[in-house]
Amino acid sequence: MKIFFLLLFVIFTNFEAFAVEPNEKLDNEGLERRARLISSELRCLVCQNENIDSSSSEFATDLRIFVRKKLQEGLTDSEIKSYLVSKYGDFIILRPPFKEYNIILYLIGPLLFIIGVLTLFLLFVSKKRGN
């Protein structure tokens, strides 16, 4: 029974809360909240599909510290993100902006879905006519 509860704990524990080290946190709650928000929107380039707030890689740790340092210097959220985009490109943002070079990424999913639905519909109609 203890093993069952231990497994439940491990499965349902939010491991994102463990990525930010206590020594990284800012004393100012407002700045810390902003830092966590920015960190949740930035991609860890080592982990690829994980934000830096929940990543435990050295790169993510360095970026979290950088974000907190820049917030303490008085930079705005958009200034910090703009700097990181200029250094690492749009890929650093978890939800990249809609631009002409990535339009295919935004449209391919819905287009494939529509093609799939139309194909199934046509197969269904042709099978009905065949009977």
Side-chain angles (χ1 to χ4, degrees):
M1 192 64 152
K2 288 181 183 180
I3 292 176
F4 174 73
F5 285 117
L6 179 64
L7 284 173
L8 281 178
F9 175 76
V10 169
I11 291 171
F12 292 108
T13 300
N14 184 358
F15 288 104
E16 290 183 14
F18 299 129
V20 177
E21 298 291 325
N23 62 345
E24 294 176 26
K25 293 186 178 179
L26 298 172
D27 293 332
N28 183 325
E29 288 183 32
L31 287 180
E32 179 61 27
R33 199 173 315 114
R34 284 178 54 204
R36 296 297 295 261
L37 180 64
I38 294 170
S39 296
S40 69
E41 297 172 352
L42 297 174
R43 181 188 318 272
C44 176
L45 299 180
V46 175
C47 306
Q48 301 277 323
N49 257 355
E50 193 173 2
N51 63 38
I52 65 168
D53 196 46
S54 59
S55 173
S56 58
S57 74
E58 287 183 42
F59 177 77
T61 302
D62 292 343
L63 270 185
R64 286 193 305 266
I65 292 170
F66 171 81
V67 166
R68 284 166 172 77
K69 180 181 170 192
K70 293 302 176 187
L71 284 173
Q72 287 177 321
E73 291 175 6
L75 270 68
T76 65
D77 299 7
S78 60
E79 288 172 331
I80 294 169
K81 287 185 220 172
S82 294
Y83 172 78
L84 291 171
V85 166
S86 71
K87 186 167 182 164
Y88 298 106
D90 283 334
F91 190 69
I92 194 83
I93 305 293
L94 268 176
R95 286 177 224 95
F98 189 76
K99 294 185 178 176
E100 61 277 351
Y101 66 86
N102 64 6
I103 194 167
I104 190 90
L105 295 175
Y106 286 98
L107 296 179
I108 195 89
L111 286 175
L112 288 175
F113 177 76
I114 291 169
I115 290 170
V117 168
L118 287 175
T119 303
L120 287 173
F121 177 74
L122 291 174
L123 287 172
F124 180 74
V125 168
S126 66
K127 190 172 183 176
K128 278 280 199 188
R129 287 186 182 170
N131 287 338

